Amino acid sequence: MNNILYRSRQKENLDKDVLNFLSSLREDVNIFYYDILGTQAHCLMLNKIGILTSDELSKVLYSLNKIKYQSKNEGTIQYIISNELSFEEDIHEQIESIVIRDIGIDIGGKIHTGRSRNDQVVLDIRMKLRDDIMDISEDLISVIKSLIVRAKEHKDTIISLYTHLQQAQIGTMSHYLLSYSFNLLRDLDRISSSFEKINLSPLGSCAIGGTGIPIDRNYTASLLGFQGLLENSIDATSSRDSMIEYLSFLSILMTSLSRIAEDFILWSTSEFNYIELSDKYSSTSSVMPQKKNPDPLEILRSRTSIVIGMLISSLSIIKNLPSGYNRDLQDLKPLLWNSSKIVKESLCIMQGIIDTFKVNKKNTLYSANKSYGVSLDIAEQLVMKYNIPFRKVHKLVGQLVQYAITHGNIPLDKTPQDEVNKMLNSSKIKIDLDELMSILKDIKPKKSILLRKSYGSPNPLQQTGMINSIEKSLLTYAKVLTERKELLFTTINNLDNVILNTIGDKGN
Ligand code: ARG
């Protein structure tokens, strides 16, 4: 006979290599604290329904609190390693073993009544993700705020806008920065919405089919601050779709950040020289002394691929699983923890870069001036002045640009007047030559921004409108976040107090 906790049927211990292969103990450091809290709530409920006497409850809670505080002092991973009993497959088994070792099997052996590791592990995951969602939402709000600060600074900073990476139209730096504020606002909306699906309690679903113990699922859910229950015990223990949804939202967020990274990498090349990253956010070369490399942005770009990879792994882990808990599900956990960690770090790096990058306004303007990005503005002015079909003007301006490019990239208004006249004659458009020449002279990048006033355009007035609407939305999300945080903080605090009161003098 062995005395190993869960091996009641087996005559032999688990092979050592198999244990190493199976065990999630080390990675479970991420849910260690939540597992204790969940067990404490479960034991309070067991007391409420008469499975644990008040004296037993107080001993159990005290023992669990000791684990909580000792691990805090020692460092959780250190605590896990130093308390390893050479047979535990995961943190649930380890914590139960420590309690039994501490207060004996007669009392400690009762704590797993009416639950299974299958509902226990999802409970822990959900509690951890709840916190991750709030942390990431908070970080995202900060990044969006930083984008707005920089946008306010650069309402009049001219830059070229690109399509196909070719100069397209004239824009403003604020317009660019705000485009990602809107994008990240949607990321915030997605991630924030996943909270509702995650914040439901699976506890009490037991292994798959519920329990004969008259448990009170609502009681444990409310002690732990859940909005409600996952109603169906099969669904509660074996589904992971809400976690995968969370991972997919993180992947989408990372792709947004990665696109900003890509722009900044490009813009900080000598060829563009639109922006300069702060020294704090750039690396160098071991051999080329002149180098200033955007390594943090490159790492962010590759981490995006890693997060996407983890989403794909999680989908593949799930897709062929029969209903009910399967051990494959264990491998989903590190994918969640690692993705959350990468996203938090990436947001922090991105915020620092946004806060500190310098815009080389002279260069952005120079490049816009050299481009033919005003071509469409010229065409549109002609359409409005002469009410001629756009398609005809498109051709005329196209010919002007063609001439300018083949004659040394001259500005459009430096096209010889007789050449312009020839083009006008062959196009059969009735436009006054002098007026056309003065339009060519007049419509330069700065002017073009003022002329383009359509809703959502780079026009400075439009920027003000956008800033206002983003700031308004941010306030709403920040309010929801604060409410969630306060509610959870108060709930967990209350739970701690109930535990301390139950323990009484022993706790001091
Ligand atoms: N370590 C497991 C996990 O992370 C806990 C659940 C194990 N349940 C089981 N029936 N083997 O998923």
Side-chain angles (χ1 to χ4, degrees):
M1 264 298 274
N2 66 67
N3 60 357
I4 290 173
L5 209 57
Y6 297 161
R7 299 182 74 76
S8 302
R9 171 185 170 167
Q10 284 83 351
K11 291 202 179 76
E12 277 183 286
N13 287 346
L14 206 55
D15 178 90
K16 213 165 177 289
D17 290 334
V18 178
L19 179 65
N20 280 337
F21 187 65
L22 280 184
S23 176
S24 66
L25 189 59
R26 303 289 160 93
E27 280 147 10
D28 287 343
V29 62
N30 289 284
I31 47 172
F32 184 83
Y33 165 73
Y34 302 108
D35 199 70
I36 297 174
L37 222 54
T39 301
Q40 290 182 314
H42 180 69
C43 290
L44 281 163
M45 186 276 294
L46 289 179
N47 167 250
K48 187 168 172 260
I49 62 168
I51 300 277
L52 284 174
T53 65
S54 295
D55 188 49
E56 289 170 339
L57 174 68
S58 134
K59 290 196 170 96
V60 167
L61 294 182
Y62 180 57
S63 178
L64 286 163
N65 259 18
K66 267 199 302 194
I67 302 176
K68 215 193 278 179
Y69 298 128
Q70 276 171 18
S71 63
K72 208 170 175 187
N73 290 340
E74 246 178 79
T76 310
I77 192 75
Q78 199 42 50
Y79 180 88
I80 290 174
I81 293 168
S82 56
N83 283 279
E84 204 169 339
L85 298 176
S86 82
F87 60 79
E88 296 113 339
E89 291 182 38
D90 53 37
I91 203 66
H92 321 296
E93 192 172 13
Q94 185 179 43
I95 290 174
E96 192 180 342
S97 311
I98 296 173
V99 171
I100 291 175
R101 190 181 60 189
D102 185 30
I103 58 176
I105 191 133
D106 286 338
I107 302 175
K110 289 186 173 182
I111 66 174
H112 206 58
T113 314
R115 75 169 180 181
S116 148
R117 280 184 298 169
N118 298 351
D119 55 346
Q120 193 179 351
V121 70
V122 208
L123 176 80
D124 297 354
I125 295 174
R126 284 173 180 270
M127 286 172 76
K128 154 88 172 131
L129 289 193
R130 235 170 29 172
D131 283 349
D132 284 353
I133 289 169
M134 290 193 296
D135 289 346
I136 289 171
S137 302
E138 191 164 19
D139 296 347
L140 250 174
I141 290 175
S142 295
V143 173
I144 299 171
K145 279 187 179 160
S146 288
L147 281 170
I148 291 178
V149 169
R150 299 309 308 267
K152 283 180 179 166
E153 245 176 78
H154 289 289
K155 273 192 198 169
D156 302 311
T157 304
I158 299 291
I159 58 164
S160 282
L161 302 176
Y162 295 81
T163 64
H164 314 271
L165 210 51
Q166 303 285 326
Q167 289 168 321
Q169 285 184 277
I170 307 298
T172 42
M173 184 56 102
S174 61
H175 192 231
Y176 167 80
L177 295 168
L178 292 177
S179 75
Y180 278 104
S181 309
F182 282 110
N183 190 327
L184 295 182
L185 208 54
R186 288 190 296 275
D187 284 304
L188 174 62
D189 183 70
R190 275 186 282 270
I191 287 165
S192 171
S193 77
S194 63
F195 186 88
E196 317 260 311
K197 286 186 199 120
I198 294 288
N199 196 25
L200 297 171
S201 173
L203 190 60
S205 300
C206 213
I208 177 167
T211 168
I213 310 284
I215 55 165
D216 184 345
R217 292 192 61 196
N218 284 311
Y219 181 56
T220 45
S222 78
L223 283 175
L224 295 167
F226 284 99
Q227 264 158 218
L229 302 178
L230 282 154
E231 207 175 325
N232 181 304
S233 63
I234 305 173
D235 178 46
T237 49
S238 65
S239 73
R240 295 292 187 272
D241 57 292
S242 302
M243 289 92 185
I244 293 183
E245 184 184 54
Y246 168 73
L247 273 187
S248 71
F249 291 166
L250 293 191
S251 302
I252 298 172
L253 164 62
M254 285 302 290
T255 59
S256 311
L257 297 180
S258 184
R259 293 190 69 196
I260 303 179
E262 175 62 17
D263 282 338
F264 281 17
I265 290 170
L266 208 60
W267 288 356
S268 58
T269 57
S270 327
E271 284 72 15
F272 272 85
N273 198 9
Y274 284 2
I275 62 166
E276 185 177 354
L277 300 184
S278 148
D279 283 354
K280 281 198 272 183
Y281 290 94
S282 42
S283 297
T284 185
S285 151
S286 61
V287 60
M288 296 168 282
Q290 87 282 11
K291 289 285 265 172
K292 181 167 178 179
N293 295 330
D295 295 31
L297 291 168
E298 291 169 326
I299 290 291
L300 190 150
R301 214 168 39 179
S302 67
R303 296 275 155 87
T304 303
S305 312
I306 293 174
V307 172
I308 294 171
M310 293 198 276
L311 167 65
I312 303 298
S313 301
S314 69
L315 287 165
S316 316
I317 288 174
I318 296 291
K319 74 172 175 48
N320 280 350
L321 290 188
S323 309
Y325 178 86
N326 298 274
R327 193 65 179 263
D328 317 45
L329 291 173
Q330 175 172 289
D331 276 344
L332 207 72
K333 291 185 300 182
L335 303 177
L336 293 166
W337 319 150
N338 293 337
S339 296
S340 289
K341 183 166 175 280
I342 289 178
V343 167
K344 286 182 212 171
E345 288 168 353
S346 302
L347 284 168
C348 169
I349 297 298
M350 189 46 96
Q351 163 137 34
I353 287 176
I354 290 168
D355 285 341
T356 55
F357 81 98
K358 283 204 190 92
V359 182
N360 193 346
K361 284 187 183 191
K362 261 199 202 144
N363 251 335
T364 55
L365 182 61
Y366 176 76
S367 158
N369 273 329
K370 264 187 53 192
S371 78
Y372 296 96
V374 291
S375 303
L376 176 56
D377 303 296
I378 292 170
E380 286 179 345
Q381 285 308 305
L382 292 174
V383 164
M384 290 206 292
K385 272 215 155 71
Y386 294 94
N387 192 20
I388 22 182
F390 174 76
R391 193 48 62 217
K392 284 189 174 176
V393 198
H394 185 276
K395 188 139 266 152
L396 173 68
V397 179
Q399 282 168 357
L400 276 165
V401 173
Q402 172 67 13
Y403 183 93
I405 288 174
T406 47
H407 290 80
N409 284 320
I410 54 169
L412 290 180
D413 61 323
K414 294 285 178 284
T415 318
Q417 212 156 320
D418 56 327
E419 291 295 335
V420 180
N421 203 19
K422 269 193 235 160
M423 290 178 219
L424 263 183
N425 288 339
S426 75
S427 70
K428 299 198 180 71
I429 304 175
K430 288 197 173 41
I431 300 178
D432 180 66
L433 178 63
D434 288 340
E435 197 157 12
L436 177 56
M437 290 314 292
S438 81
I439 285 177
L440 294 181
K441 202 166 181 167
D442 183 40
I443 303 185
K444 298 290 177 182
K446 281 193 179 158
K447 177 74 181 266
S448 89
I449 291 292
L450 301 177
L451 286 174
R452 242 177 304 130
K453 297 190 188 112
S454 61
Y455 188 72
S457 68
N459 184 292
L461 266 183
Q462 288 297 318
Q463 305 312 297
T464 310
M466 289 179 208
I467 289 171
N468 289 343
S469 85
I470 296 166
E471 282 181 333
K472 216 166 128 200
S473 305
L474 268 188
L475 280 180
T476 316
Y477 288 107
K479 190 166 170 269
V480 171
L481 178 62
T482 312
E483 283 166 7
R484 279 176 184 165
K485 276 183 121 176
E486 281 176 4
L487 194 67
L488 268 189
F489 181 81
T490 318
T491 311
I492 300 302
N493 227 15
N494 287 345
L495 176 59
D496 273 340
N497 287 336
V498 172
I499 292 166
L500 287 178
N501 285 339
T502 312
I503 294 170
D505 291 344
K506 255 190 254 95
N508 297 322

